Amino acid sequence: EVHLEESGGGLVQPGGSLRLSCAASGFAFDTYSMNWVRQAPGKGLEWISYISSSSDTIYYADSVKGRFTVSRDNAKNALYLQMNSLRAEDTAVYYCPRGYAFFDYWGQGTLVTVSS
Amino acid sequence: EIVLTQFPATLSLSLGERATLSCRASQSVNSYLAWYQQKPGQAPRLLIYDASNRATGIPARFSGSGSGTDFTLTISSLKPEDFAVYYCQQRGNWPHITFGPGTKVDIK
């Protein structure tokens, strides 16, 4: 059974940093592209980052480009999102769905709150 | 950026009724459109991909249609578990993926 579990969220001050993790199991992680998608409280979904199976292709939404860095460790079946220079508008639940261009499996998400 | 518009914003229906949800793209996305269902406190679930293909395990009462800029998600006969928010998502100009604002289907 495919399982994705995000972790690492929490409360951080504006300008601070946080590293999110996504643990994958139940599928051949090293053959799938992965993404980060976020959802601000009470709002819709926003795609923010893509990483190919071998990490050779990476994309970001303009809203996080230059501040966030996605990476993966296929040996550990893990996906990461390093978030720097955090802003209040980055407050959201962060998901790590699997897929190239549509997302067939999602974790339950981890909440990041940026506030002083 | 391709902007997706969903309408209506809220759809109030009774059990057993047919639900028709619309999604319109600001420019053509060919058939590269997906639909997701999200219930409160849960992650989104993929229902339909590439406009009309049901995802694994999705009941036949869910169907998708359309191409270009206009798309429809139809739920043929609403069950209690179908009351949720539904989002469309385009990959027409991948990797610049965007989602629509959602349609809430609630109980009348």
Side-chain angles (χ1 to χ4, degrees), chain A residues 56-75:
Chain A
D56 58 354
T57 303
I58 288 174
Y59 293 110
Y60 299 98
D62 288 344
S63 58
V64 305
K65 196 176 298 182
R67 301 186 300 122
F68 290 11
T69 302
V70 63
S71 62
R72 64 190 294 163
D73 185 338
N74 286 344

Side-chain angles (χ1 to χ4, degrees), chain B residues 15-102:
Chain B
L15 290 173
E17 286 195 290
R18 182 184 190 90
T20 303
L21 288 68
S22 297
C23 177
R24 178 167 293 161
S26 59
Q27 62 190 78
S28 176
V29 298
N30 295 302
S31 294
Y32 301 140
L33 191 106
W35 291 92
Y36 299 83
Q37 176 194 68
Q38 187 178 34
K39 298 178 183 179
Q42 296 186 17
R45 178 174 71 145
L46 177 67
L47 300 174
I48 302 288
Y49 65 93
D50 289 349
S52 60
N53 297 292
R54 268 190 306 276
T56 303
I58 301 303
R61 65 181 183 275
F62 292 92
S63 63
S65 64
S67 65
T69 60
D70 290 292
F71 299 87
T72 301
L73 174 70
T74 301
I75 310 171
S76 59
S77 179
L78 281 165
K79 294 186 177 293
E81 60 267 32
D82 299 337
F83 293 93
V85 178
Y86 293 83
Y87 294 97
C88 56
Q89 172 241 314
Q90 65 80 24
R91 67 174 182 101
N93 67 336
W94 187 91
H96 303 291
I97 287 169
T98 55
F99 291 87

Side-chain angles (χ1 to χ4, degrees), chain A residues 14-56:
Chain A
S17 299
L18 212 54
R19 188 195 196 205
L20 305 184
S21 299
C22 171
S25 60
F27 66 102
F29 180 73
D30 60 355
T31 66
Y32 282 88
S33 300
M34 298 294 295
N35 302 264
W36 287 98
V37 172
R38 68 184 180 183
Q39 186 170 36
K43 303 297 184 182
L45 300 163
E46 179 189 16
W47 170 84
I48 58 171
S49 186
Y50 164 91
I51 184 168
S52 62
S53 58
S54 60
S55 303
D56 58 354

Side-chain angles (χ1 to χ4, degrees), chain A residues 49-109:
Chain A
S49 186
Y50 164 91
I51 184 168
S52 62
S53 58
S54 60
S55 303
D56 58 354
T57 303
I58 288 174
Y59 293 110
Y60 299 98
D62 288 344
S63 58
V64 305
K65 196 176 298 182
R67 301 186 300 122
F68 290 11
T69 302
V70 63
S71 62
R72 64 190 294 163
D73 185 338
N74 286 344
K76 295 182 177 179
N77 288 349
L79 175 73
Y80 305 102
L81 186 68
Q82 177 67 43
M83 304 187 296
N84 299 329
S85 304
L86 283 161
R87 306 165 181 167
E89 55 265 35
D90 296 318
T91 293
V93 173
Y94 285 72
Y95 298 100
C96 62
R98 184 182 86 167
Y100 165 73
F102 59 83
F103 312 127
D104 59 354
Y105 287 95
W106 300 61
Q108 284 305 300

